[in-house]
């Protein structure tokens, strides 16, 4: 495979063929607070708003295992990365500009979150050598935490309130959702770039793990049994009684 070789440690090592090693981190934005639900939808109590905001993680709790099995079978991790980011766009648009019940948006966000997490994090071991897997996972986590931290600072400035009990004007929440929309657009661009780079270097991310293993040739006989199975030489003639 051009531009890529299998490393003895079990991973893939991208050779320095002019482009060098490229690392793209796609962050799936998931900012939703119960206070937003209370401020925009006045019919919900604090307890009900918390349950609705938590539906993002409840959906992920139910779906993650099934989604992981599905992605192991069909592959297409890069395609799922683009699809999850694209399908997240309507969620923030609904929250910002409509009064559709918020539970629709939180469950929708939970579904896309499940597919994003199940497709992105398992992709890292597929494209880095096993010897540097810990470094790669650490860098990806660090970049993700930096992005979340900076986004929290920006959102705090947008909401612009010093009291957690004060009602935040709706236009401030709309600005925050527009910021989330911009984040999602950046995710789409990054995911498309990830697929382009991966396709140029063999298309590892979009390969199926289980189906590719099933179609591999059966393993060769071990060195202990091969001589017995492939022994050459004269065979004894049957004894006639």
């Amino acid at each position: 495979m051009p531009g890529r070789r299998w490393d003895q440690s079990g991973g893939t090592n991208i050779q320095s063929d002019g482009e060098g090693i490229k690392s793209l981190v796609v962050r799936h934005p998931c900012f939703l607070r119960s206070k937003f639900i209370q401020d925009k939808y006045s019919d919900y109590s604090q307890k009900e708003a918390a349950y609705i905001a938590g539906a993002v993680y409840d959906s992920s709790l139910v779906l993650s295992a099934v989604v992981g099995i599905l992605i192991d079978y069909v592959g297409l991790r890069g395609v799922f990365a683009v699809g999850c980011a694209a399908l997240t766009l309507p969620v923030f648009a609904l929250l910002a500009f409509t009064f559709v019940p918020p539970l629709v948006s939180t469950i929708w966000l939970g579904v896309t979150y499940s597919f994003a997490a199940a497709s992105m994090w398992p992709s890292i071991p597929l494209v880095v050598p096993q010897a540097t897997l810990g470094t790669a996972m650490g860098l990806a986590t660090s970049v993700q935490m930096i992005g979340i931290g900076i986004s929290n600072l920006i959102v705090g400035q947008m909401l612009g309130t010093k009291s957690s009990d004060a009602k935040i004007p709706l236009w401030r929440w709309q600005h925050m959702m527009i910021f989330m929309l911009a984040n999602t657009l950046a995710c789409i661009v990054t995911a498309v770039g990830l697929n382009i780079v991966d396709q140029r270097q063999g298309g590892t991310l979009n390969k199926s793990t289980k189906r590719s293993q099933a179609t591999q040739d059966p393993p060769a006989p071990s060195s202990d049994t091969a001589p017995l199975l492939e022994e050459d030489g004269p065979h004894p003639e049957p004894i006639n009684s």
Side-chain angles (χ1 to χ4, degrees), residues 112-176:
T112 59
Y113 180 81
S114 300
F115 276 90
S119 60
M120 285 284 88
W121 285 107
S123 298
I124 297 177
L126 298 178
V127 295
V128 299
Q130 186 176 356
T132 59
L133 181 57
T135 302
M137 298 290 286
L139 285 173
T141 304
S142 178
V143 172
Q144 183 186 35
M145 293 302 108
I146 290 171
I148 292 174
I150 293 174
S151 294
N152 277 325
L153 293 176
I154 295 173
V155 168
Q157 290 295 321
M158 286 181 170
L159 297 181
T161 180
K162 295 182 179 179
S163 173
S164 59
D165 297 325
K167 184 173 181 178
I168 300 173
L170 183 58
W171 65 269
R172 288 186 178 274
W173 285 114
Q174 286 178 335
H175 286 181
M176 190 204 81

Side-chain angles (χ1 to χ4, degrees), residues 15 21 23 54 61 78 83-84 86 90 98 107 119 136 143 159 170 177 179-181 195 202 207 228 230 232 234:
Q15 295 176 346
I21 297 177
S23 175
L61 175 68
C84 289
T98 73
I107 293 177
S119 60
V143 172
L159 297 181
L170 183 58
M177 293 300 170
F179 172 66
M180 293 295 104
L181 279 170
N195 278 272
K207 290 180 180 178
L228 298 176
E230 300 177 359
D232 294 325

Side-chain angles (χ1 to χ4, degrees), residues 40-79:
K40 184 173 181 178
Y41 308 89
S42 56
D43 296 336
Y44 294 100
S45 66
Q46 183 176 2
K47 183 178 181 180
E48 291 171 334
Y51 282 144
I52 292 173
V56 174
Y57 305 102
D58 294 337
S59 303
S60 179
L61 175 68
V62 173
L63 292 174
S64 290
V66 176
V67 170
I69 295 171
L70 173 66
I71 291 176
D72 276 345
Y73 185 77
V74 302
L76 302 178
R77 293 169 179 83
V79 174

